[in-house]
Amino acid sequence: SRQLCITIDRSTLYVNNRFHVAAYDLNSNGRRLWQSPPPPDRGKTRDWQLVSMRPVLTDRNIFVRQLSKSGPVLIALDRADGKHVWVTQPQKDEQLLSDPVLAHGKLFALMLRDLPRGDDMLRLVSFALETGEPIDSHDLINMRDSWDERRVCATTALPGGILACLGGFVMNVDFAGNVRWVREQLMVPADQESSWVQQRFDPPLIVGDRVIVASPGVRTVECLSRDYGELAWRSILPDVQRLVAVADGNAVVHAGDELIALDMANGQER
């Protein structure tokens, strides 16, 4: 179930299981309206484990990542019947890391390019809405091969860019490809701790000018400045599993078998 992504828009519920998107009419007892065809060269259920893929909706289309044998591809669906409008396959040396973000009449996504020597390159790529063709790309930062151990890339759209948790660091990049800031997190290597699989791949929570982040392999919840990445507070929670919500001035997190409220002012447990 963690690999399902559910989106509700008006009276329609959309479910992406990474191979099909199905649309259900909430006004007709959940009657299924349509199901999209699978991506070309469909991948396997066990690929990219624990990663859900969140669609972006417009009046005419649904833009979504789905799994082929070579990794995630970007697909545009007709919102009326779920049929493919276009499919964009990354090149052999690239991986589509993030869900698409819609801004300035284009789609933006984070991609990873394999370099022949040394670290790989994280890139911001924009795509045409009508065709899915890449428009522009910007190199951001180098990433180590160890990212593949968890494949964490959870993003939240900002008015001028993207905030991303990438398993060991958090970054803010604008749509012009400028890295505003990067903040490293203390992460336990995946081969030294198996319980990281209990943690959700949660996108950052934006609360005014602050952001709350928690990531697999990181045993803390952190509150950062949205614009500058400065640490406001850090709460050590060895059993943290997911971010739930922000309510009544508290960041609510699921840790172990309980819900914990952390004061947004200082991170103290309430």
Side-chain angles (χ1 to χ4, degrees), residues 22 167 183 264:
R183 185 173 188 90
M264 279 294 299

Side-chain angles (χ1 to χ4, degrees), residues 67 83 119 179:
L67 279 179
K83 293 181 179 178
D119 297 338
V179 178

Side-chain angles (χ1 to χ4, degrees), residues 51-257:
V51 178
S52 64
M53 298 182 176
R54 185 174 63 249
V56 172
L57 279 61
T58 66
D59 290 340
R60 295 172 50 195
N61 297 113
I62 298 171
F63 303 101
V64 66
R65 283 192 304 162
Q66 292 191 329
L67 279 179
S68 71
K69 288 183 179 178
S70 60
V73 297
L74 185 60
I75 298 178
L77 305 175
D78 189 318
R79 190 163 171 173
D81 55 18
K83 293 181 179 178
H84 288 175
V85 177
W86 51 255
V87 178
T88 293
Q89 176 84 44
Q91 297 184 16
K92 291 183 179 180
D93 61 349
E94 289 187 324
Q95 299 183 69
L96 180 60
L97 265 59
S98 77
D99 294 317
V101 171
L102 178 62
H104 307 298
K106 296 181 285 187
L107 294 171
F108 293 84
L110 296 175
M111 302 188 71
L112 190 66
R113 169 165 286 176
D114 297 330
L115 300 181
R117 297 178 182 176
D119 297 338
D120 298 331
M121 178 60 67
L122 182 67
R123 306 166 69 231
L124 179 69
V125 181
S126 60
F127 302 88
L129 293 179
E130 296 80 10
T131 64
E133 291 294 321
I135 298 173
D136 200 1
S137 65
H138 301 275
D139 291 346
L140 301 176
I141 59 173
N142 291 107
M143 286 176 57
R144 297 176 182 174
D145 290 340
S146 58
W147 179 86
D148 271 331
E149 295 174 353
R150 293 186 175 95
R151 292 180 170 172
V152 178
C153 185
T155 59
T156 297
L158 299 172
I162 297 173
L163 195 65
C165 285
L166 289 119
F169 70 95
V170 186
M171 70 180 301
N172 183 329
V173 56
D174 68 24
F175 289 124
N178 300 306
V179 178
R180 292 168 169 168
W181 55 261
V182 179
R183 185 173 188 90
E184 189 175 3
Q185 296 178 298
L186 181 60
M187 183 178 67
V188 180
D191 60 358
Q192 296 181 21
E193 185 219 18
S194 60
S195 61
W196 69 266
V197 298
Q198 299 175 8
Q199 296 178 270
R200 298 296 183 100
F201 291 39
D202 289 324
L205 289 178
I206 307 296
V207 188
D209 62 354
R210 290 188 173 187
V211 54
I212 308 296
V213 293
S215 192
V218 179
R219 294 302 175 177
T220 62
V221 175
E222 294 180 336
C223 179
L224 309 175
S225 163
R226 181 195 62 191
D227 297 328
Y228 303 103
E230 297 173 339
L231 180 67
W233 51 259
R234 176 186 291 123
S235 179
I236 300 174
L237 294 172
D239 296 326
V240 62
Q241 294 182 10
R242 64 172 303 190
L243 301 174
V244 178
V246 174
D248 297 327
N250 300 305
V252 182
V253 300
H254 181 200
D257 58 357

